[in-house]
Amino acid sequence: MPLRGISIRWKLTFLIMGVTFTALAVAGTLLYAYQWQAYRQQAVHELKSLLEFVALNTKPAILFDDAKAARENLSTVAMRKEISRAVIYKPDGSVFAESGELKAHVSPRRGPLSVRSFEWRGYEAFMDEPIFDGARWIGTLHMHADLHYLVLNISRYLIILMIILGATLVGTFLLSMYLQKMVSAPILEVAGIARRIRDQKDYSIRITKKYRDTETGHLVEALNQMLAEIQTNTDALENANRELQDLDRLKTEIILTVSHELRTPLHTVQEALSMILDGMCGDVNEEQRGLLTTAKQNIRRLAALINNLLDLQKMALGPDTLQLKPCDINELIRSMLPSLEPIIRPKAIELKTALSEPLHPVLCDGDKIIQVLFNLLHNAIKFTEKGVITVSSAPKDDKEIWVCVCDTGIGFNRNERANLFQAFVQLESGKRKVPGGSGLGLLISKKIIEAHHGRIWVESEEGKGSAFYFSLPYE
Amino acid sequence: MIMGKRILIVDDEPDVSKLLSLALRKSHYDVLVAENGQSALDHAAAFRPDLILLDLKLPDFDGYMLFDRFKKDPATAAVPVVFITAFTVYGNEDVSEKTKRMGAAGCFYKPFEFRDLKTTLETLLV
């Protein structure tokens, strides 16, 4: 529909003008056809009378074989503008007499001479009138008429018609401009107010002008009701949002404060334990040392939990907190592996790397990626008693880098896998409970990778091991 | 060398300063504890510390502000300051980054190992 994108004003104008034009055009065409028909009938009638009259007048000239008189007669006829040729044929087909010069090109006549005929060919008329003396055929009068002049007459009608058509269209245009102004002005007015409301986001504006019980009036009423509803909803949403923001601020504050309040007493407990363990306060026997060491390990675990909570809180602040620099992922991997040495040593684990070299540097926060690697490797070591842990890196489709930490540990089943990246989820089945860990490591890793617009996922088979992957996009 | 080096501890938590000063004294340092910023400033001139251990949140002063005061005071301007704090983020800023930028000699998050602090002190107080 070509009118779809056009304003109501122009739709109305086009519509009115289209209807007017069509009506005038149809009326004009019908008038023209009727007029042409009428002219032609009149012309035929006149021509037939003329033909009979000339035939009658020429009969004596044929009888007396007076070609000159016949020619004069014919010439008189040919002076009429529509008659272009008048001929008298003898029964044998030879010309007895003919009107003078031809006025224009004249198509040749057709058909037998002995039959009375009146034939139309376009605007030309061919007439044959056999002349009889009693019952004897003595000759035939042939006339040719050219009725093009009728077209000329009618063209004048046509021109007048065109002028009327044009004038009407102009009139209609002006009228429709006025009409549509009456129709569309209130709508435009309402639309203007609606636009103002949208731009200023001020839903307290109401359309106050009265349009009484018109279509516009109904529109305005509906619009005002909608505005009232939007205002109510917006206010409610804003309030709810403000409350949520307050709550979020409170949450951040609580986490920061609580972690601070937790760290200080933890610190004193740890320091006291360290001092005793370091022999600052006299000798410590093996049993005491064992108990104090366990106590200290658990202090460390609590401290790690607090650190993780803080990390999580920081990651919640979004990707803005990342310090992005181009990093060689292989370099990061190599740099952090030695820190794992103390927790690998007690186990029969072989730590291998399969790094794709060279890797294009990727924009990331190196410390955070090391934290992810550490979390993944720490888990892998925790859940593997003996076997192989492999860290591998590879480019993927020139768009991202994939890093995989793959172990031959206890693995996960489907249910465990589904919940793995949620807060405080740790493997729980009694025989497999491995102590240590906050239950936040994978969640933090996930947040870090997602802040880099990457993905983290796991493939695992229970009892055979698991493979944690993460991807870092170049862009 | 270590013997008799003076360390000023500024911390409002009595338990923290008690244990810390105990451990430092056992490591043969001379220790003075100030429980708030004002008393730290009052005592610094007379005590002439070789190093200051500074908490971030004090009852009267912000640790950062106190740091600036120490640096402006000719008596303490050259003394290295090590922050000891339970905050990793303070005033929306990462504490270790901010203290490093300010020119602090170090930053320890509680709970830290006394052993690690001691190593740092030994390097700073050669």
Side-chain angles (χ1 to χ4, degrees):
Chain A
M1 185 79 185
L3 282 179
R4 196 171 290 156
I6 301 170
S7 71
I8 293 178
R9 304 171 59 127
W10 290 107
K11 271 182 198 163
L12 274 174
T13 307
F14 284 141
L15 202 70
I16 294 173
M17 289 183 69
V19 168
T20 313
F21 178 81
T22 313
L24 279 172
V26 168
T29 313
L30 286 176
L31 202 66
Y32 178 85
Y34 172 79
Q35 202 63 37
W36 167 244
Q37 208 56 39
Y39 267 130
R40 206 166 81 159
Q41 268 175 11
Q42 194 189 349
V44 167
H45 181 74
E46 278 176 12
L47 283 171
K48 278 188 175 164
S49 306
L50 182 70
L51 191 69
E52 279 169 20
F53 176 75
V54 174
L56 202 66
N57 268 357
T58 323
K59 192 173 163 186
I62 301 170
L63 281 176
F64 292 107
D65 205 18
D66 184 353
K68 189 167 168 277
R71 197 179 304 124
E72 273 169 13
N73 227 342
L74 292 179
S75 294
T76 318
V77 174
M79 278 167 78
R80 293 179 70 113
K81 61 180 172 185
E82 71 268 32
I83 304 298
S84 40
R85 191 185 185 204
V87 188
I88 293 171
Y89 293 100
K90 285 198 245 176
D92 60 6
S94 62
V95 174
F96 172 68
E98 188 171 2
S99 60
E101 291 294 304
L102 291 183
K103 288 179 188 167
H105 170 74
V106 172
S107 314
R109 62 166 299 283
R110 297 188 288 224
L113 281 168
S114 59
V115 182
R116 191 178 194 195
S117 71
F118 194 102
E119 185 199 358
W120 280 106
R121 275 188 243 160
Y123 295 108
E124 291 171 288
F126 295 84
M127 296 157 276
D128 288 324
E129 178 76 17
I131 302 167
F132 293 94
D133 180 29
R136 187 169 64 95
W137 176 34
I138 54 173
T140 294
L141 168 65
H142 168 78
M143 286 202 322
H144 173 269
D146 187 340
L147 295 181
H148 273 101
Y149 76 96
L150 286 184
V151 178
L152 255 152
N153 278 0
I154 288 184
S155 307
R156 253 176 251 139
Y157 266 96
L158 216 57
I159 288 165
I160 293 168
L161 208 65
M162 287 293 194
I163 291 168
I164 293 172
L165 192 65
T168 314
L169 282 179
V170 170
T172 314
F173 180 76
L174 294 175
L175 187 68
S176 69
M177 289 298 270
Y178 174 69
L179 274 178
Q180 49 85 357
K181 212 172 169 184
M182 268 173 51
V183 172
S184 62
I187 295 176
L188 288 177
E189 218 167 63
V190 173
I193 296 174
R195 204 177 301 122
R196 210 175 77 216
I197 290 167
R198 185 199 59 195
D199 291 346
Q200 299 176 357
K201 299 218 174 348
D202 180 359
Y203 299 109
S204 60
I205 295 176
R206 296 286 179 279
I207 300 161
T208 46
K209 194 165 167 186
K210 293 279 171 270
Y211 293 96
R212 266 162 284 154
D213 197 21
T214 59
E215 290 89 336
T216 318
H218 297 313
L219 180 66
V220 164
E221 197 183 328
L223 211 61
N224 277 339
Q225 279 167 4
M226 266 168 58
L227 282 170
E229 258 172 61
I230 289 175
Q231 196 180 11
T232 318
N233 289 346
T234 312
D235 288 352
L237 271 177
E238 270 173 12
N239 283 337
N241 196 29
R242 211 170 300 127
E243 273 168 35
L244 275 177
Q245 280 177 352
D246 287 348
L247 273 177
D248 198 53
R249 247 194 307 279
L250 191 66
K251 187 192 81 180
T252 308
E253 249 168 64
I254 286 174
I255 288 180
L256 289 177
T257 312
V258 165
S259 66
H260 174 254
E261 295 305 322
L262 284 174
R263 275 158 177 272
T264 310
L266 266 183
H267 175 72
T268 41
V269 176
Q270 176 180 300
E271 189 154 358
L273 291 172
S274 294
M275 281 167 70
I276 300 171
L277 273 169
D278 287 352
M280 281 187 183
C281 315
D283 289 338
V284 184
N285 70 31
E286 272 317 298
E287 198 178 6
Q288 288 166 337
R289 179 173 299 279
L291 286 171
L292 291 173
T293 309
T294 308
K296 207 173 144 179
Q297 273 169 356
N298 281 277
I299 295 287
R300 285 225 185 94
R301 195 175 151 197
L302 275 176
L305 173 61
I306 294 168
N307 282 341
N308 280 342
L309 272 175
L310 279 171
D311 281 342
L312 206 58
Q313 184 58 36
K314 272 193 243 171
M315 288 319 295
L317 299 177
D320 302 345
T321 53
L322 294 178
Q323 303 200 321
L324 297 176
K325 273 181 216 140
C327 296
D328 181 348
I329 294 295
N330 290 342
E331 207 47 60
L332 292 182
I333 294 172
R334 272 192 291 267
S335 73
M336 60 82 56
L337 288 182
S339 68
L340 298 165
E341 182 56 31
I343 50 171
I344 289 185
R345 210 182 304 127
K347 295 189 170 186
I349 294 174
E350 190 189 351
L351 185 57
K352 281 195 202 166
T353 52
L355 309 179
S356 166
E357 308 263 12
L359 268 187
H360 197 66
V362 62
L363 206 60
C364 65
D365 186 330
D367 290 342
K368 292 278 187 292
I369 298 302
I370 286 181
Q371 197 181 347
V372 174
L373 285 166
F374 187 84
N375 283 339
L376 296 182
L377 277 159
H378 205 266
N379 280 347
I381 295 165
K382 200 159 75 179
F383 294 107
T384 309
E385 272 317 307
K386 57 177 188 179
V388 184
I389 293 175
T390 314
V391 189
S392 40
S393 67
K396 177 82 178 170
D397 302 336
D398 288 334
K399 277 190 222 141
E400 49 186 24
I401 289 178
W402 280 21
V403 176
C404 174
V405 173
C406 180
D407 66 53
T408 56
I410 56 177
F412 310 99
N413 63 32
R414 186 183 292 271
N415 287 341
E416 288 165 334
R417 213 159 55 216
N419 298 322
L420 220 44
F421 291 98
Q422 288 172 13
F424 302 112
V425 171
Q426 284 179 291
L427 288 187
E428 269 182 13
S429 75
K431 56 176 181 168
R432 297 164 44 161
K433 175 80 180 172
V434 182
S438 61
L440 289 173
L442 282 178
L443 178 61
I444 291 171
S445 303
K446 185 174 183 238
K447 298 252 179 202
I448 290 174
I449 295 301
E450 281 173 356
H452 283 86
H453 304 293
R455 289 171 302 128
I456 187 164
W457 69 99
V458 63
E459 289 167 10
S460 180
E461 203 174 320
E462 197 163 20
K464 292 198 173 166
S466 39
F468 281 86
Y469 292 87
F470 66 84
S471 66
L472 289 174
Y474 283 123
E475 289 303 320
Chain B
M1 318 104 19
I2 297 288
M3 297 285 252
K5 291 277 185 191
R6 286 178 301 279
I7 293 178
L8 173 63
I9 301 174
V10 192
D11 199 321
D12 61 329
E13 289 277 347
D15 287 348
V16 172
S17 42
K18 191 174 98 188
L19 277 172
L20 199 54
S21 55
L22 182 63
L24 286 169
R25 286 197 182 109
K26 282 190 184 275
S27 308
H28 312 294
Y29 289 101
D30 200 354
V31 181
L32 179 74
V33 175
E35 284 184 1
N36 55 55
Q38 195 50 54
S39 109
L41 289 168
D42 293 345
H43 291 94
F47 183 61
R48 285 185 296 108
D50 296 301
L51 188 135
I52 298 169
L53 292 176
L54 181 55
D55 190 13
L56 206 50
K57 203 182 162 205
L58 297 165
D60 53 350
F61 272 100
D62 179 322
Y64 295 143
M65 257 156 64
L66 197 57
F67 178 88
D68 285 338
R69 295 281 291 267
F70 282 137
K71 289 295 160 191
K72 275 181 193 141
D73 185 346
T76 49
V79 179
V81 176
V82 173
F83 280 90
I84 46 168
T85 173
F87 288 100
T88 56
V89 176
Y90 193 76
N92 278 331
E93 251 186 305
D94 192 280
V95 173
S96 70
E97 275 168 29
K98 164 120 184 171
T99 52
K100 198 186 283 177
R101 208 169 51 237
M102 288 168 67
C107 175
F108 283 85
Y109 292 143
K110 298 168 189 172
F112 54 84
E113 282 284 350
F114 179 69
R115 214 176 296 146
D116 299 334
L117 176 66
K118 205 173 144 187
T119 315
T120 305
L121 296 185
E122 277 160 10
T123 4
L124 289 170
L125 292 173
V126 175

